[in-house]
Amino acid sequence: MTAQVDYLVVLFTATSGASGELLGSDEKELVRIVWQLVDLTNQQLGQVNELLIRPDPSELTEKEEEEDVEEEESVEEESGSGADCISTATSLESALNMFHLQLTNQVNSMGAGTSVCLCTDGQLHIRQVIHPEAASKNILVPDCFYSFFDLRKEFTKHFPTPDLKAFNVYVMAESLSISVDVPMLWDPSAIMPPKVAVQQVQLMSSIVLALLSEPMCHIFTKPERVLEKFESGTCSKMEKVCDNTVIRARGLPWQSSDQDIARFFRGLNIAKGGAALCLNAQGRRNGEALVRFVSEEHRDLALQRHKHHMGNRYIEVYKATGEDFLKIAGGTSNEVAVFLSREDQIIVRMRGLPFTATHEQVLTFFSPADGLKEMCPVSGGKDGILFVRYPDGRPTGDAFVLFASEEHAQSALRKHKEILGKRYIELFKSTAAEVQQVLNRYSSAPLISVAPAPLVTMLPTMSLLPPPGGMRNCLRLRGLPYTASIEDILTFLGEFTQDVQPHGVHMVLNQQGRPSGDCFIQMTSAERALLASQRLHKHMMSSQRGANSRYVEVFPCSAEEMSLVLMGGSLSHMHTHTHTRSRNGTGLSPPPCKSRRLSPPSYSFTPAQPVLTPEAAAALYPPIGPMMLAPRPLPPGHAYYPASAQLYMNYAAYYPSPPGSPTTLGFFPSPSSLTSPAGLVRMPSLTYNSNGVKEIINAMQGYQAPAESIALLSSNLIGQSSAGDAPLMTLPALVNKPGQYLDLALL
């Protein structure tokens, strides 16, 4: 519409809630329409008409109190509003039809021209009141409500201003030297008084006549448009999207489509293909959508619909960026662009297809069965089917199908969970943006993020235990009773006890230091380990400390797997698809790498507070010489640990041999008086009521320590002032050559 119209209908609406700049933001119903016809050719004014919307009391069941208030207000409205003609309607639909009928009669009675267009003070009356309420109630709006003039924008053509919100009819009337009665003051968050609506319409009509007269001689052309239908389309990733035109809607029903989103924002113009439903990591809708509007003005109006309702759910509306929108709706595939280039097509998504499904099978799936007249032909035949594939061409089990009409699409959706081949197929109504998003996700990155490579591949190639040789000469026992002891395990092994290596039973403790139900046993040979696993697998084990018994799973494993678990990692056969497989084919996960001695230099640790001063420690503990752990240099050129780093491997922290090494052990050189080279173990903090040698022998069971080698020494022999005993215990000849150190892994 470029030529000037013949008539302007100055329109003003009021709801049962807020008014002014907050009009329509509280989702209240329309209760009043005031309008006046202006003849632009003859510059004449028609009568002021007021249309009241009062629901039928018989239809109100839960609004009795509101009904009483409305009846009281209606008396005031009919008596003091100041309108020339007052009408009443019982619903919005009847009110809109009555308005259109009265307007048509008045235009026909004047007989000079037929082109009519609405004129409002701002955008809210049309975009935020009439269209949203009509959409929520599924009411068809007359054609005259899809175009209107914004009086503020027409006024700024002669009186430019950067802020349209600062304008109102009183400011415009003052600028045009129009006499105005003292404006009535009211709270914008409350219901507008009846007289104000009529006064607003009369002032707007006076402003229109002032604009038509000299010297301005304004011509009303190019009215505002309200899009009647949302247009689906594609968006390229190379397209530039303004950040001030995008919003994020959250809380959508999972079955909602882009048309449902457009209905929620009815009255605001959404850009072509501007409604994009978001998917989660599994490719399912997560209740969010990104919506792109044609301008910042429409985006700001959309933000005012925050927490408006879609059905029984309220929708949250927030600002978003153009980059967010392109990540969801942008695409680069020419195949998708051709598939979506057909307009007025309904898209249905198929999920759960057999990987061998073909176009012919999909067409057969949607063809009518014998004896059924329901038709749902695929639009374009094979060209109307788009299979989703991985970058290497493998099918994903998803496909999109086009249908020519809503009726055909609904018939197709009724085949939800019917069988194709040997699988049932899920059907959902889809959108163009969802097609782009699904294709982008499958073609660029996997839907489920892949875990990073295990740390095992980055650790230095050094043996954590004596060289395993790649043999599966160990046993893993899983499902032990939590009260099981070393004696219980040896009893369970039976005849295979003689095949256990010295110090070869290793209990696995959890992070709290309690038994985890797992145990590793080092056997003398791989053959005996395999035979033991075959005979003992799922046999029952009972504990001497408790009455419970459980069946125990027995598996052969290698020393490498055993060392990994004992160092704090985990061993699982269920995650081989997400982790790098080791040389023996077992999925391994890395140890936690939380120990100070196992972590790279980039890790920061809080320095431990010293318990004793260096002088006190030197007096209390004699020098231990070469018996302590020595730092081990790493192989040069490793990517994870620098070549200059020193790695201190204290296996006792992760390697609890039976029955678990105390954390307060100290080591001393053997006195020269001993008959054979051996080590001394100092065990401080013993209880005063200790039973002596017998209790220590029980604590050190499993070690080659004869009873005659155990001696209880008085505390004053080693410089302590306390009364507690600190026994010294000799161990076998662990060090046979000078310069060697004691490896705590043997404890």
Side-chain angles (χ1 to χ4, degrees), residues 42-43 118 125 230 234 236 250 255 360 490 509 549 551 553 587 606 657:
N42 302 319
Q43 298 185 12
L118 303 181
H125 301 275
F230 169 71
T234 60
S236 172
R250 182 180 300 167
Q255 71 273 22
E360 290 77 10
L490 295 178
L509 306 181
S549 60
Y551 76 86
E553 298 176 290
T606 304
S657 297

Side-chain angles (χ1 to χ4, degrees), residues 350-355 396-399 420 422-426:
M350 304 180 68
R351 191 166 62 196
L353 288 169
F355 293 147
T396 64
D398 282 25
L420 192 156
K422 295 183 179 181
R423 304 189 62 177
Y424 72 86
I425 309 301
E426 296 177 293

Side-chain angles (χ1 to χ4, degrees), residues 12-15 17-20 32 186-187 190-197 200:
F12 189 88
T13 62
T15 66
S19 58
R32 181 183 291 105
W186 77 96
D187 185 4
I191 299 177
M192 177 179 290
K195 293 183 179 180
V196 176
Q200 294 273 332

Side-chain angles (χ1 to χ4, degrees), residues 322-380:
E323 182 180 0
D324 295 336
F325 182 80
L326 290 178
K327 287 180 181 179
I328 301 300
T332 57
S333 174
N334 293 331
E335 183 182 9
V336 177
V338 173
F339 178 78
L340 298 176
S341 61
R342 303 178 180 88
E343 297 183 356
D344 298 331
Q345 302 286 341
I346 310 300
I347 306 174
V348 172
R349 180 181 179 182
M350 304 180 68
R351 191 166 62 196
L353 288 169
F355 293 147
T356 57
T358 62
H359 292 82
E360 290 77 10
Q361 290 177 322
V362 174
L363 293 174
T364 304
F365 178 80
F366 288 110
S367 61
D370 296 338
L372 297 179
K373 298 181 180 180
E374 195 173 40
M375 297 290 293
C376 50
V378 178
S379 178

Side-chain angles (χ1 to χ4, degrees), residues 67 139 304 374 438 458 546 634 682 728 733:
E67 179 186 351
I139 297 175
Q304 295 183 13
E374 195 173 40
V438 172
M458 298 184 290
L634 299 181
R682 179 174 179 270
L728 292 180

Side-chain angles (χ1 to χ4, degrees), residues 22-96:
L22 301 178
L23 182 66
S25 61
D26 52 5
E27 239 181 335
K28 296 297 183 179
E29 292 185 345
L30 181 65
V31 297
R32 181 183 291 105
I33 299 177
V34 183
W35 56 280
Q36 186 176 21
L37 190 64
V38 180
D39 185 353
L40 299 182
T41 305
N42 302 319
Q43 298 185 12
Q44 295 180 356
L45 300 178
Q47 63 180 6
V48 178
N49 301 273
E50 186 174 14
L51 184 58
L52 303 178
I53 304 173
R54 288 189 288 174
D56 188 355
S58 62
E59 299 178 359
L60 297 178
T61 58
E62 299 180 358
K63 299 182 179 180
E64 297 177 353
E65 296 180 0
E66 296 180 5
E67 179 186 351
D68 295 338
V69 174
E70 288 178 359
E71 289 178 356
E72 293 177 2
E73 292 178 352
S74 63
V75 175
E76 299 177 0
E77 292 168 357
E78 293 177 358
S79 59
S81 64
D84 300 325
C85 178
I86 299 177
S87 305
T88 303
T90 58
S91 65
L92 177 63
E93 184 175 12
S94 61
L96 295 179

Side-chain angles (χ1 to χ4, degrees), residues 490-570:
L490 295 178
T491 303
F492 174 78
L493 292 177
E495 61 176 302
F496 297 100
T497 304
Q498 60 184 357
D499 300 312
V500 179
Q501 294 185 10
H503 319 297
V505 180
H506 309 284
M507 302 289 291
V508 180
L509 306 181
N510 57 21
Q511 295 179 353
Q512 289 74 33
R514 300 176 181 176
S516 63
D518 280 23
C519 171
F520 286 93
I521 302 175
Q522 290 179 281
M523 307 292 286
T524 56
S525 65
E527 292 76 12
R528 297 296 294 176
L530 178 61
L531 184 60
S533 66
Q534 292 175 349
R535 292 188 180 180
L536 301 177
H537 184 59
K538 291 191 175 181
H539 281 205
M540 301 298 295
M541 175 188 290
S542 58
S543 173
Q544 298 177 359
R545 303 178 186 176
N548 60 329
S549 60
R550 300 179 61 180
Y551 76 86
V552 178
E553 298 176 290
V554 184
F555 308 99
C557 66
S558 65
E560 182 182 7
E561 297 173 354
M562 178 183 67
S563 64
L564 177 70
V565 175
L566 295 179
M567 291 293 292
S570 61

